């Protein structure tokens, strides 16, 4: 069994930056991820608000993160963690390939794309239904596509898809968008139409998507819209199974509660990135990863849970 000061679970910006800071502080560390490194960053068509880059493709930025982190730490991809068990002063981390022991755990498991939960969505997933514009946009050049959502991701996806040659419409359930103004301005300058106050109620087709049924929320009218592809960009849900199994406190929406040092209520367990909710931005996730690693370093050398105070800021031990 391999032993480490900290095992970092998740190889997005939070986990990778945590690894860099942990090793530079003198800790032994390893990163485990059930998928490939990069997280949801890799799916962003264009990132224009990450410090140091006026504009960069998400896949390129995530590749830079991975390359940087690999100078310091081993990243084990496609190795999902199946369980974490606390044994006295260490954690036993189990994966499909082996076991690791750790003095501390940094959870950076991020979030997963939220689904609409309507008829046809699962049936046509990969056959016209997509959650990643950069992964699948190229296959819909010169075809009719809908982007569902009204936040930064949805508007960014619409802009990207228009740029690669798709005929794009945005579908949003409200009468105004939540995306930042700069993105909205760019989208409207590209003459991308919006179906306001509308929601998808069904996706249909044969071997692939042929169309959708859309309900106008104000009038109740349902109409059929012929499309070749649907890109669903309505947010994410936290990957919190490991946190729950460890007894970590969660907010009502399922996100992990942390203090300002990225500590959870469980001694030796830290969380960072989209798993903690809040402002879901790459730079915030990376920053939380750094805080978590430095807190782990501090606590390994002077465990707060062995002090007389008996509490973490914001938590009772």
């Amino acid at each position: 069994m391999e032993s480490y000061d900290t095992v970092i679970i998740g190889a997005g910006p939070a986990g990778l930056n945590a690894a860099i800071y942990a090793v530079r502080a003198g800790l032994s560390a390893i990163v485990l991820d059930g998928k490939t490194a990069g997280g949801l960053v890799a799916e962003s068509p264009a990132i224009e608000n990450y410090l140091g880059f006026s504009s960069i493709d998400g896949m390129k930025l995530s590749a830079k993160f991975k390359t940087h982190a690999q100078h310091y730490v081993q990243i084990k991809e496609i190795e999902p963690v199946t369980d974490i068990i606390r044994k006295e002063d260490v954690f036993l981390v189990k994966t499909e390939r082996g076991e690791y022991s750790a003095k501390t755990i940094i959870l950076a498991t991020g979030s997963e794309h939220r689904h609409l939960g309507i008829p046809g969505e699962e049936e046509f997933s990969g056959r016209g239904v997509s959650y990643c514009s950069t992964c699948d946009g190229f296959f819909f050049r010169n075809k009719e596509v809908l982007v569902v959502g009204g936040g930064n991701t949805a508007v960014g996806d619409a802009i990207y898809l228009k740029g690669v040659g798709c005929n794009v419409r945005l579908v949003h359930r409200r009468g105004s968008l939540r995306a930042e103004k700069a993105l909205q301005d760019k989208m409207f300058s590209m003459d991308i139409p919006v179906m306001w106050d509308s929601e998808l109620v069904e996706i249909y087709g044969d071997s692939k998507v042929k169309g959708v049924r859309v309900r106008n929320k104000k009038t109740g009218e349902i109409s059929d819209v012929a499309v070749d592809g649907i890109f669903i960009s309505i947010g994410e849900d936290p990957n919190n199974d490991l946190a729950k199994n460890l007894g970590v406190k969660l907010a009502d929406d399922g996100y992990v509660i942390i203090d300002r040092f990225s500590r959870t209520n469980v001694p030796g367990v830290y969380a960072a990135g989209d798993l903690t909710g809040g402002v879901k931005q790459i730079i915030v996730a990376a920053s939380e990863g750094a805080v978590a690693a430095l807190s782990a370093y501090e606590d390994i050398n002077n465990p707060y849970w062995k002090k007389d105070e008996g509490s973490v800021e914001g938590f009772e031990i």
Side-chain angles (χ1 to χ4, degrees):
M1 183 188 302
E2 301 176 28
S3 298
Y4 296 91
D5 290 320
T6 189
V7 168
I8 300 162
I9 304 171
L16 295 179
N17 206 39
I20 292 170
Y21 272 76
V23 175
R24 286 179 63 87
L27 301 182
S28 58
I30 191 169
V31 178
L32 306 173
D33 197 301
K35 297 181 180 180
T36 56
L40 295 182
V41 176
E43 299 181 6
S44 299
I47 296 164
E48 299 178 339
N49 57 0
Y50 190 78
L51 190 64
F53 297 94
S54 57
S55 181
I56 185 169
D57 177 89
M59 293 185 70
K60 291 180 180 178
L61 184 59
S62 64
K64 288 180 179 292
F65 289 164
K66 178 180 176 180
T67 299
H68 189 180
Q70 283 177 322
H71 287 304
Y72 295 95
V73 70
Q74 182 181 15
I75 302 169
K76 292 200 172 184
E77 302 172 273
I78 321 297
E79 186 167 351
V81 173
T82 56
D83 198 10
I84 305 174
I85 301 170
R86 183 157 198 169
K87 289 191 173 182
E88 298 177 354
D89 288 336
V90 299
F91 296 91
L92 179 63
V93 180
K94 296 184 177 183
T95 76
E96 296 177 351
R97 300 182 192 173
E99 297 182 351
Y100 308 84
S101 71
K103 297 175 184 176
T104 59
I105 299 290
I106 297 176
L107 297 173
T109 48
S111 57
E112 291 288 340
H113 294 295
R114 188 173 295 156
H115 290 205
L116 292 169
I118 61 174
E121 181 179 9
E122 299 302 323
E123 177 186 353
F124 291 104
S125 180
R127 295 189 292 137
V129 174
S130 175
Y131 303 87
C132 177
S133 63
T134 55
C135 306
D136 302 322
F138 179 81
F139 301 109
F140 293 90
R141 294 180 68 187
N142 301 316
K143 295 184 178 181
E144 299 291 330
V145 301
L146 295 180
V147 175
V148 182
N152 286 347
T153 301
V155 173
D157 284 347
I159 291 168
Y160 172 79
L161 291 166
K162 179 78 170 184
V164 298
C166 301
N167 299 318
V168 188
R169 277 173 287 181
L170 190 74
V171 181
H172 186 44
R173 59 180 179 165
R174 296 189 177 93
S176 61
L177 300 174
R178 293 175 290 108
E180 61 187 43
K181 185 177 183 299
L183 281 173
Q184 292 191 46
D185 290 345
K186 185 172 183 177
M187 185 188 78
F188 290 127
S189 73
M190 298 173 73
D191 295 322
I192 296 173
V194 181
M195 299 175 68
W196 300 106
D197 301 301
S198 299
E199 61 183 1
L200 269 62
V201 295
E202 183 182 355
I203 300 168
Y204 58 87
D206 41 42
S207 60
K208 59 184 179 179
V209 168
K210 293 294 185 182
V212 297
R213 291 192 171 91
V214 181
R215 177 193 292 123
N216 184 293
K217 296 187 70 176
K218 286 189 172 181
T219 66
E221 180 183 356
I222 294 177
S223 57
D224 285 279
V225 180
V227 294
D228 302 292
I230 302 106
F231 290 83
I232 299 171
S233 305
I234 57 172
E236 299 87 34
D237 290 314
N239 292 320
N240 60 15
D241 287 345
L242 292 175
K244 287 193 286 189
N245 292 344
L246 281 166
V248 169
K249 285 185 178 180
L250 305 178
D252 292 340
D253 56 7
Y255 289 95
V256 168
I257 299 172
I258 56 173
D259 68 6
R260 66 191 181 97
F261 299 104
S262 289
R263 294 169 174 146
T264 71
N265 63 298
V266 178
V269 178
Y270 310 82
D274 285 2
L275 179 63
T276 67
V279 181
K280 293 183 180 179
Q281 294 292 307
I282 301 167
I283 200 162
V284 174
S287 299
E288 285 188 0
V291 173
L294 294 175
S295 294
Y297 168 79
E298 204 61 41
D299 295 337
I300 284 172
N301 289 283
N302 189 18
Y304 64 81
W305 53 87
K306 293 184 179 180
K307 297 177 183 178
D308 293 337
E309 301 94 274
S311 66
V312 188
E313 181 176 310
F315 299 108
E316 292 298 322
I317 299 302

